[in-house]
Amino acid sequence: MTPSARGCPPPLSLLTSSQPLRVCSAHSGRRCPLRGAAWGAGGGAVALALAFLPPLLLLLLLVVPGGSYRPVVIVHGLFDSPSDFRHLRAFINESHPGTEVTVLDLFDRGASLRPLWVQVEGFRRALAPIMANAADGVHLLGYSQDTDYLKWLFPRHMKSNLYRLCYTPLGQGVSICNYWNDPHHRELYLNSSDFLALLNDERLHPNASDWKRNLLRIQSLVLIGGPDDGVITPWQSSLFGFYDANETVQEMRAQAVYLQDTFGLKTLEARGDLGGCAVPGVGHTAWHSNRSVYEHCIRPWLT
């Protein structure tokens, strides 16, 4: 079955102009679908695809000539809503008065479980007019769609059995399953994932070149995560590390998607446009309200 027949949309042109993007992303790993410019906290659809659009806290950080700042657009995570980002909005407004900060009010709470291709299209439509009015680009900040609730629903068996649901047509209709990557069932993931495997270009599809080209239009990608996140597993996936078949964490440069530069990660680093910010002592739901994280990992990029 071709990718397009299995839920892969035609190439999306979220960034239709030559507007520059800068990205800070926390928790973009766990084979997270985040692509583009952003600050990310929380691994998955922080996301969504920046190649088309966000999953995690992503943030495009650039200054508009003349003393004003580029608009900041925030995409919330799983079960969140715009009200959850009041602290981050306040941090930005306090340090950079006058900044236009928009938290997209889409797929709130339970609606965040909808398929990620549906969410990508919704966020693309919402971002289009904002981008059209920002000649110098925007800062895109995406917060992860996490797996918090899975620990409650599947406290003992989630890790070993969730693939039985996620790698089915029914499971692929739920956002969490769209980026579930089970290292013990690699072939099932590659053949069944209609979202993440395509974004990572781990399965052949006709949009790979367009998506990679879009990702490489960003100016900087900053990945943010830490060992005390408590949800992102392994936490190093926030920095694009991941498990091997023995559940030993392999860092980003040992990953096939990096070595083969499938979606542009290696190119970004070679350009000097890929960075990381590892912060201990921060729980998963606290990334967007932690002042220290903002001051050390986000504000420095808001220049």
Side-chain angles (χ1 to χ4, degrees):
M1 184 176 294
T2 65
S4 59
R6 297 182 55 183
C8 178
L12 298 178
S13 55
L14 168 64
L15 310 176
T16 56
S17 72
S18 59
Q19 297 162 325
L21 295 177
R22 206 164 208 189
V23 178
C24 295
S25 172
H27 305 298
S28 69
R30 200 180 64 252
R31 311 320 339 128
C32 142
L34 285 188
R35 303 291 182 79
W39 175 83
V46 155
L48 299 182
L50 235 224
F52 359 79
L53 183 45
L56 290 184
L57 271 179
L58 310 178
L59 185 52
L60 304 179
L61 310 168
L62 291 175
V63 181
V64 177
S68 60
Y69 296 96
R70 297 176 186 271
V72 173
V73 180
I74 300 172
V75 179
H76 67 71
L78 192 70
F79 296 141
D80 285 331
S81 72
S83 63
D84 296 305
F85 289 80
R86 59 189 181 281
H87 298 292
L88 181 58
R89 184 196 293 268
F91 296 158
I92 296 172
N93 286 331
E94 179 182 332
S95 60
H96 296 83
T99 299
E100 179 183 344
V101 181
T102 302
V103 184
L104 296 181
D105 191 7
L106 290 172
F107 306 106
D108 301 344
R109 306 305 181 190
S112 63
L113 291 174
R114 296 190 67 188
L116 287 179
W117 285 127
V118 173
Q119 296 193 45
V120 165
E121 176 61 18
F123 286 120
R124 185 190 69 83
R125 291 177 180 272
L127 269 176
I130 298 175
M131 295 293 293
N133 291 320
D136 296 297
V138 302
H139 309 315
L140 177 62
L141 184 158
Y143 185 72
S144 167
Q145 288 204 22
D146 56 59
T147 52
D148 272 321
Y149 82 103
L150 294 177
K151 291 191 173 182
W152 306 330
L153 295 178
F154 309 99
R156 296 182 180 179
H157 306 293
M158 177 191 72
K159 178 179 172 182
S160 60
N161 290 312
L162 192 58
Y163 78 94
R164 299 179 187 275
L165 168 63
C166 283
Y167 298 151
T168 65
L170 177 64
Q172 287 297 301
V174 180
S175 63
I176 287 292
C177 291
N178 288 153
Y179 52 78
W180 187 259
N181 186 354
D182 190 326
H184 300 294
H185 300 278
R186 181 70 176 169
E187 289 304 313
L188 269 178
Y189 160 73
L190 292 175
N191 293 321
S192 304
S193 173
D194 288 337
F195 187 77
L196 188 56
L198 298 178
L199 290 185
N200 286 346
D201 197 18
E202 296 171 295
R203 190 169 79 229
L204 292 176
H205 65 93
N207 301 324
S209 295
D210 288 331
W211 293 354
K212 183 175 181 178
R213 187 180 306 112
N214 278 350
L215 174 64
L216 293 176
R217 292 174 63 183
I218 68 172
Q219 290 191 349
S220 296
L221 171 62
V222 180
L223 309 169
I224 305 172
D228 301 305
D229 180 276
V231 170
I232 303 302
T233 306
W235 76 265
Q236 292 92 335
S237 64
S238 299
L239 308 177
F240 278 107
F242 197 58
Y243 292 127
D244 62 15
N246 298 315
E247 293 195 23
T248 299
V249 176
Q250 303 294 322
E251 58 101 30
M252 177 188 71
R253 295 178 186 86
Q255 300 296 320
V257 293
Y258 176 88
L259 294 171
Q260 298 170 18
D261 202 26
T262 58
F263 58 83
L265 206 54
K266 189 174 183 178
T267 297
L268 282 175
E269 185 173 48
R271 285 183 353 199
D273 295 333
L274 179 65
C277 191
V279 185
V282 181
H284 183 73
T285 60
W287 291 99
H288 52 72
S289 60
N290 185 292
R291 185 64 186 246
S292 180
V293 170
Y294 174 75
E295 293 294 341
H296 294 94
C297 300
I298 302 176
R299 183 177 179 178
W301 297 90
L302 293 172
T303 57

